[in-house]
Amino acid sequence: MLRRETEAAPERRAAALAGLAAYQRAPRLPAPPLPPPVAHAGRAVLRDYGGAGTPIVFVPSLINPPYILDLGEETALLRWLAGEGYRVLLVDWGSPTPGEPTDIAGHVTQLLLPLIGALGTPPVLAGYCLGGTMAAAAACLVPVRGLALIAAPWRFHGFPAPARARIAGLWAEAESLCVRLGLVPMEVLQAGFWRLDPARTIAKYERLATLDPTSPAAAAFIALEDWANGGAPLPYAAGAELFAFFERDDPGAGRWRVAGRAVDPHALSVPRIDFVSTTDRIVPAASAAGFFARHESRAGHVGMVVGSGRHAALWHPLRDWLARIAELP
């Protein structure tokens, strides 16, 4: 991909390769330990960040590790919210085994719902990326106090047709291998992200080549890129269902059945809100659920969580929305 995207510009190829080399040789600090679990369901656990009051359960994507919501000292959303006084918990999906038959709906019913049930009280669910899709389904199946979707896809037909075609092409190439493995490796999913915006992938490594390797900016790049390149594989069943969303099963209003029930978060009577980036290349704004309550920013899919504009894009409006939820009887 790197050669194809830069073959007309040798100087750009050289800069991007220099950035890639800098990324590979950069020293890594040990990651801070995640908080202890307070509930288990199969391979998944619920991690407790402390705080008090109504539980706020953050549901991360199955793609990439969950610690994007707890990344770095200054950009750890969950620790910040706990410091603001909220009872914050994080779902950690764990690692699947080859051939495990858990599809996305199964992650909701077999893992997420038991973790929610262990709390003994209805929580607020806050789902990021594909975690928002699953949080929306869970909210339709068990009592919750509210639902916040953060850069989360629900109307998959809101992805541009060219992007959907590229994703379908990727699955056509990779599916037979994934069947044999019983898993969808992270490398397959990462290739899908590259296809959504290959020029940006090249540009970010070009920029890294210009940074002082000892600078905070370089350290932040390394931490974020390690997150983006990490993560457990998906069970084959989950990967197949995800790609089917793009091709034919768009969850939409009542078109996705979980535990035998059609799920439609628009039918919920609890407070709901979309946090949407209008510049998101991974989950376009048009694919959001379309709730009446909506907070828009231009911070980007990951930038709204850990970027320089995170406070205005997500952190403060989410905190303020949660404050209003906490006031409800």
Side-chain angles (χ1 to χ4, degrees):
M1 182 198 72
L2 178 62
R3 182 172 62 254
R4 183 174 66 251
E5 291 297 321
T6 60
E7 60 186 6
E11 67 282 0
R12 289 196 62 199
R13 181 167 65 247
L17 288 171
L20 179 60
Y23 168 69
Q24 292 172 330
R25 64 173 178 262
R28 267 69 170 178
L29 296 175
L34 291 170
V38 294
H40 297 75
R43 58 178 159 82
V45 299
L46 193 61
R47 299 192 179 276
D48 189 356
Y49 282 79
T54 299
I56 317 298
V57 175
F58 281 81
V59 185
S61 178
L62 299 176
I63 305 165
N64 301 118
Y67 68 80
I68 187 60
L69 300 167
D70 185 27
L71 187 67
E73 293 183 5
E74 299 297 324
T75 53
L77 169 61
L78 303 191
R79 295 179 195 271
W80 178 80
L81 278 173
E84 293 283 302
Y86 295 96
R87 176 79 195 285
V88 178
L89 303 110
L90 173 66
V91 174
D92 184 341
W93 297 111
S95 298
T97 56
E100 178 184 312
T102 316
D103 57 11
I104 296 175
H107 279 79
V108 175
T109 58
Q110 300 166 33
L111 303 180
L112 181 55
L113 294 189
L115 293 176
I116 293 171
L119 295 172
T121 187
V124 175
L125 296 182
Y128 176 57
C129 192
L130 182 62
T133 312
M134 293 186 284
C140 296
L141 300 174
V142 295
V144 298
R145 287 181 62 91
L147 174 65
L149 303 185
I150 304 166
W154 183 257
R155 298 175 298 185
F156 280 72
H157 284 90
F159 282 75
R164 292 173 60 204
R166 287 193 293 270
I167 291 168
L170 170 66
W171 187 235
E173 295 169 6
E175 183 177 13
S176 61
L177 171 63
C178 296
V179 169
R180 293 195 296 274
L181 293 174
L183 296 167
V184 180
M186 182 60 206
E187 290 79 3
V188 171
L189 303 168
Q190 187 69 293
F193 294 139
W194 289 342
R195 292 189 182 194
L196 290 174
D197 193 357
R200 183 181 179 278
T201 301
I202 302 304
K204 70 181 181 181
Y205 281 104
E206 287 182 280
R207 177 177 175 272
L208 178 62
T210 70
L211 297 178
D212 176 352
T214 65
S215 67
F221 180 97
I222 299 302
L224 186 58
E225 197 66 8
D226 280 352
W227 167 80
N229 290 314
L234 268 64
Y236 168 77
E241 187 172 24
L242 174 60
F243 283 98
F245 284 165
F246 289 98
E247 294 179 1
R248 62 181 184 275
D249 289 342
D250 184 353
R255 286 190 288 274
W256 187 28
R257 301 190 70 83
V258 178
R261 293 170 54 183
V263 292
D264 179 8
H266 293 87
L268 294 171
S269 58
V270 299
R272 295 154 292 156
I273 188 170
D274 274 323
F275 291 92
V276 176
S277 166
T278 58
T279 63
D280 197 334
R281 300 292 184 90
I282 296 175
V283 177
S287 70
F291 295 151
F292 177 77
R294 178 181 176 109
H295 181 85
E296 291 188 352
S297 75
R298 294 182 54 80
H301 186 77
V302 179
M304 66 194 303
V305 179
V306 298
S308 59
R310 62 189 180 277
H311 293 107
L314 175 64
W315 289 27
H316 289 173
L318 175 58
R319 176 198 60 192
D320 296 344
W321 182 79
L322 290 172
R324 294 192 292 273
I325 300 297
E327 294 170 358
L328 297 176

